[in-house]
Amino acid sequence: MRAVHVFAICAMATMGTTASAQEIDWKKVDEALGRTAAVSGDVHRYGFPRTDLQVTLDGVTIRPTLALGGWAAFKPMHGGAMVMGDLVLLETEINPVMAKLIENGLEVTAVHNHVLRSSPLPFYMHIGGHGDPVRLATAIRTALAESKTPLTPPAPPATPPAIDLDTAQLDQIIGVKGQANGGVYQFAVPRRDPVTENGMQLTPPGPTGVATAIGFQPTGGGKAAITGDFVLTGEEVNPVIKALRENGIEVTAVHSHMLTEQPRLIFMHFWANDDAVKLAKGLRAALDKTASAKS
């Protein structure tokens, strides 16, 4: 999700030279994927929102930026790039997409739900790979062509959808500054300690999928639908489950996204539709059970 934001990385071979962002021809990567990246530090992140889907959950039509935002992030590493990503798929699309990924040398590291009860019910396929970034990009696009994922980026709306919420109060409660994206108010809360894969620190944490992601979609009258995922170590899982449930927030999935990260991480997805300030306080109570960075 990531509007809100999750990903996986394959095990990577050690090579003699380390590519820098300047050594990669990012224009060719853009061309292979048919869109331009959002750039954060040395990470180039590409979005694949499922704007073709009309997903409803508990009477709420889910915006792509809340829970239908597939993505792939590229980071220079060992003479090439590592890629991690999360593809949003319908059940019938899972096996055709997986077959193309495997055929073209990418790894599948998780397949699971993020939400419950929605119609239709989307699934999320986490992927990873390492090597020539243009080859990786071509493989991802070839795999996505087996689904109905739009392969051209959506045109931006003439007027961005309004966020009818007290965002300043939400910022204060959550403890980080959020940002509006496609009608959803999004937060990325990094962990206090670094997360590494094969000795490489996964930074920035938001674009590489290792920050807790929270999205608020206004549903009228100061209410919001919330979803996202907490990024947790094993000992944090049950305290966070308890805190969320005590505050009226449903836990919808608990699972891994990656295979060999350090520390080992568990991702917890959630859902509620209620007063936005009330829900923010519940999320803050859960964040207080984690080793999250303080603003």
Side-chain angles (χ1 to χ4, degrees):
M1 179 174 293
R2 295 277 201 244
V4 136
H5 13 81
V6 264
F7 75 92
I9 310 170
C10 72
M12 287 158 274
T14 301
M15 300 177 71
T17 50
T18 300
S20 69
Q22 291 75 22
E23 293 170 338
I24 293 174
D25 188 340
W26 291 110
K27 183 178 179 182
K28 289 184 178 179
V29 180
D30 293 350
E31 290 171 352
L33 289 169
R35 62 203 64 215
T36 56
V39 182
S40 300
D42 65 348
V43 172
H44 286 234
R45 179 170 165 135
Y46 299 83
F48 303 97
R50 289 304 299 259
T51 53
D52 59 309
L53 298 179
Q54 291 291 313
V55 177
T56 59
L57 173 54
D58 295 346
V60 177
T61 299
I62 294 176
R63 291 185 178 274
T65 48
L66 182 68
L68 303 172
W71 57 275
F74 291 73
K75 185 178 178 72
M77 183 179 183
H78 298 323
M82 60 191 292
V83 65
M84 62 287 282
D86 186 9
L87 309 181
V88 182
L89 303 170
L90 295 178
E91 183 177 3
T92 55
E93 297 170 339
I94 291 173
N95 279 307
V97 170
M98 184 182 293
K100 285 296 182 182
L101 289 168
I102 294 170
E103 179 184 321
N104 289 287
L106 287 173
E107 289 194 342
V108 176
T109 60
V111 178
H112 47 229
N113 68 295
H114 287 181
V115 295
L116 303 172
R117 302 183 305 279
S118 72
S119 179
L121 180 65
F123 287 82
Y124 302 80
M125 182 181 293
H126 296 271
I127 63 171
H130 174 252
D132 175 73
V134 175
R135 180 187 63 80
L136 296 171
T138 301
I140 291 169
R141 184 172 175 124
T142 299
L144 285 174
E146 297 296 312
S147 72
K148 293 185 179 179
T149 302
L151 295 180
T152 56
T159 303
I163 304 292
D164 185 21
L165 299 171
D166 186 345
T167 56
Q169 190 172 10
L170 297 181
D171 290 348
Q172 183 179 24
I173 295 168
I174 299 298
V176 299
K177 174 66 176 171
Q179 64 177 10
N181 181 16
V184 175
Y185 198 63
Q186 299 176 336
F187 293 93
V189 184
R191 293 190 59 82
R192 184 170 61 237
D193 300 320
V195 178
T196 63
E197 177 75 12
N198 280 13
M200 171 170 276
Q201 188 170 337
L202 300 181
T203 57
T208 54
V210 290
T212 290
I214 298 169
F216 286 75
Q217 179 179 317
T219 55
K223 295 175 66 176
I226 61 166
T227 191
D229 56 350
F230 279 76
V231 182
L232 306 169
T233 55
E235 64 271 15
E236 295 170 342
V237 168
N238 279 285
V240 169
I241 288 176
K242 184 177 179 181
L244 290 172
R245 291 184 59 86
E246 286 175 346
N247 285 279
I249 300 171
E250 180 182 11
V251 175
T252 58
V254 180
H255 47 226
S256 62
H257 288 178
M258 298 172 284
L259 297 177
T260 60
E261 77 285 356
Q262 293 294 327
R264 186 71 171 130
L265 297 176
I266 303 297
F267 294 77
M268 183 184 298
H269 300 269
F270 57 88
W271 169 264
N273 181 21
D274 204 340
D275 178 78
V277 171
K278 172 189 171 184
L279 293 177
K281 291 177 179 177
L283 292 165
R284 183 66 255 174
L287 285 166
D288 287 341
K289 303 296 184 182
T290 73
S292 297
K294 302 297 183 182
S295 59

